[in-house]
Amino acid sequence: AGSSAGLTEEQKEFQKVALDFASKEMAPHMAEWDEKEIFPVETMRKAAQLGFGGIYVKPDVGGSGLSRLDTSIIFEALSTGCTSTTAYMSIHNMCVWMIDTFGNEEQRRRFCPSLCSMEKFASYCLTEPGSGSDAASLLTSAQRKGDTYVLNGSKAFISGGGDTDIYVVMCRTGGPGPKGISCLVLEKGTPGLSFGKKEKKVGWNSQPTRAVIFEDCVVPVGNRLGTEGQGFSIAMKGLNGGRINIASCSLGAAHASVLLAQEHLTVRKQFGEPLANNQYLQFRLAEMATRLVAARLMVRNAARALQDGREDAAVLCSMAKLFATDECFAVCNQALQMHGGYGYLKDYAVQQFVRDIRVHQILEGTNEVMRMIVARNLLQG
């Protein structure tokens, strides 16, 4: 079922550029990046030359100025070539958007151009060892001293941590709860900024993950995004888009897995005929394609709502993230099953899609938190 149905000519063009890039520059290296844990910096810079380093960032600081729907289409397409690398790019894009949207003119001009070109890379620092789902209870503290903040604490599971240049950090400048949180932008090389060991992960191996540690880091007040106490709101607004982005990466993985399953069913013979003649497997394939299309429509619907600033946008983003990441994982997992024993071999790409998208059900707000957000919205009437 066509992923380009209902798109404008311009959107079909972005999609084609992204699909071509995925098949030529990413797919041939996907297994190697995974196995050798390579962070493909040069490939991402090539993607940035196509405008994929700041997709929904304003053009005056080097962004592409595209819509949330355009962004979703691009990440879905790129993810068919390597889900892990695309997922990191989606986080990078979210960080640049946060600086572009909530930064002042000086901050925008200082940080955004080199991030949009991916000369520099960004990491989003919200989660801590003791606060994942309960992000508002974070403990990293920033104490005001004259025209600086002194930052202490640590962040966990930070994508790109240690290899990236810019850290968008949520920290406590005031009292407990969400109202006491501010957002600071830190540069690599700041004294007192250090990193934990590189984590060994099930998937997402083409991007490093480390703890980020702050020991008396001195950060200029001029590096604060927005006002004091606005940090949690900035973090959550960033995540609305981030949730659509990560759901879009799941769509690409599921799309690629359906194609792999389709091909395997045609080629593989059992009991004297191709698997494609088996009605049970035909029906499973039909279900997989149907679930993918349903998930895609939900994600694109949420992207439009966010773009239009509709008041139900946050809840639609949460629904789309919950539905698409769950359904697409099931689709990839079913595709693996259809490969039989071959599906469990690293020579076959389907197992990597399964490993890479498993974490999409956890990060950018676990799917349990998505259910909380949706339920709260429904019960508030």
Side-chain angles (χ1 to χ4, degrees):
S3 58
S4 58
L7 302 185
T8 65
E9 286 311 309
E10 196 184 10
Q11 285 166 339
K12 285 179 187 168
E13 200 49 48
F14 300 140
Q15 186 182 47
K16 186 178 178 328
V17 168
L19 283 169
D20 285 350
F21 187 84
S23 72
K24 293 191 179 88
E25 304 284 345
M26 296 170 85
H29 308 291
M30 168 175 137
E32 185 192 8
W33 293 342
D34 174 65
E35 190 182 351
K36 296 183 181 164
E37 299 186 6
I38 293 166
F39 191 43
V41 167
E42 292 311 320
T43 304
M44 291 192 285
R45 285 183 179 144
K46 277 191 198 168
Q49 286 172 3
L50 299 172
F52 300 156
I55 304 175
Y56 51 112
V57 171
K58 292 183 206 70
D60 66 321
V61 286
S64 299
L66 298 181
S67 76
R68 299 308 183 112
L69 179 56
D70 300 335
T71 306
S72 171
I73 292 160
I74 288 165
F75 285 138
E76 176 181 353
L78 291 175
S79 187
T80 61
C82 178
T83 301
S84 163
T85 304
T86 307
Y88 168 72
M89 288 173 64
S90 82
I91 294 166
H92 171 89
N93 269 268
M94 175 176 79
C95 292
V96 196
W97 174 83
M98 288 163 76
I99 298 172
D100 179 39
T101 306
F102 299 101
N104 58 35
E105 281 310 300
E106 185 274 327
Q107 291 167 332
R108 291 177 70 239
R109 299 199 182 289
R110 179 159 45 120
F111 294 118
C112 292
S114 60
L115 289 169
C116 287
S117 69
M118 284 185 151
E119 175 198 332
K120 293 192 169 166
F121 294 93
S123 289
Y124 177 78
C125 303
L126 174 64
T127 298
E128 296 184 358
S131 64
S133 292
D134 183 13
S137 70
L138 64 85
L139 296 172
T140 295
S141 72
Q143 296 203 296
R144 181 87 186 243
K145 295 247 170 83
D147 55 3
T148 64
Y149 287 101
V150 181
L151 193 62
N152 281 286
S154 65
K155 297 290 178 182
F157 308 126
I158 303 306
S159 287
D163 283 52
T164 50
D165 311 280
I166 301 288
Y167 295 84
V168 180
V169 182
M170 304 306 152
C171 51
R172 193 162 297 288
T173 50
K179 300 258 188 304
I181 295 170
S182 298
C183 178
L184 299 179
V185 180
L186 247 74
E187 297 179 71
K188 194 178 188 179
T190 301
L193 172 64
S194 64
F195 305 96
K197 65 172 187 358
K198 187 166 145 185
E199 307 288 2
K200 299 294 279 181
K201 305 191 297 292
V202 169
W204 269 33
N205 290 319
S206 70
Q207 45 169 305
T209 300
R210 294 184 179 87
V212 178
I213 300 148
F214 314 105
E215 294 166 295
D216 292 331
C217 280
V218 177
V219 186
V221 169
N223 280 28
R224 187 188 68 218
L225 291 186
T227 56
E228 238 183 50
Q230 198 189 347
F232 197 71
S233 160
I234 292 174
M236 293 304 117
K237 289 198 168 89
L239 281 177
N240 284 332
R243 285 165 184 161
I244 292 176
N245 295 346
I246 223 67
S248 304
C249 293
S250 287
L251 295 174
H255 189 148
S257 297
V258 168
L259 295 176
L260 291 170
Q262 206 176 316
E263 186 189 19
H264 187 75
L265 295 186
T266 321
V267 173
R268 176 84 163 145
K269 287 193 165 74
Q270 289 291 278
F271 305 107
E273 54 181 331
L275 289 179
N277 293 358
N278 178 300
Q279 194 180 46
Y280 174 77
L281 294 175
Q282 291 172 4
F283 281 12
R284 291 318 296 255
L285 190 66
E287 285 163 19
M288 288 156 69
T290 302
R291 291 160 89 165
L292 170 59
V293 170
R296 182 184 288 132
L297 289 172
M298 267 196 96
V299 173
R300 291 184 181 177
N301 178 51
R304 284 192 184 94
L306 189 61
Q307 185 63 37
D308 298 342
R310 282 173 28 199
E311 60 184 64
D312 60 350
V315 78
L316 288 172
C317 290
S318 299
M319 283 179 173
K321 196 271 186 183
L322 164 65
F323 188 81
T325 60
D326 277 356
E327 290 295 310
C328 291
F329 178 76
V331 167
C332 292
N333 200 34
Q334 179 62 45
L336 187 152
Q337 184 72 17
M338 286 176 166
H339 279 73
Y342 294 105
Y344 213 62
L345 301 181
K346 292 244 172 136
D347 301 335
Y348 288 74
V350 70
Q351 51 73 35
Q352 189 175 333
F353 285 119
V354 171
R355 287 185 294 108
D356 281 347
I357 73 163
R358 179 60 185 85
V359 75
H360 297 189
Q361 294 165 287
I362 296 169
L363 51 85
E364 313 244 323
T366 64
N367 285 2
E368 288 69 29
V369 168
M370 296 307 99
R371 289 173 173 91
M372 277 166 51
I373 293 169
V374 173
R376 191 186 307 147
N377 180 273
L378 289 168
L379 294 169
Q380 277 168 358

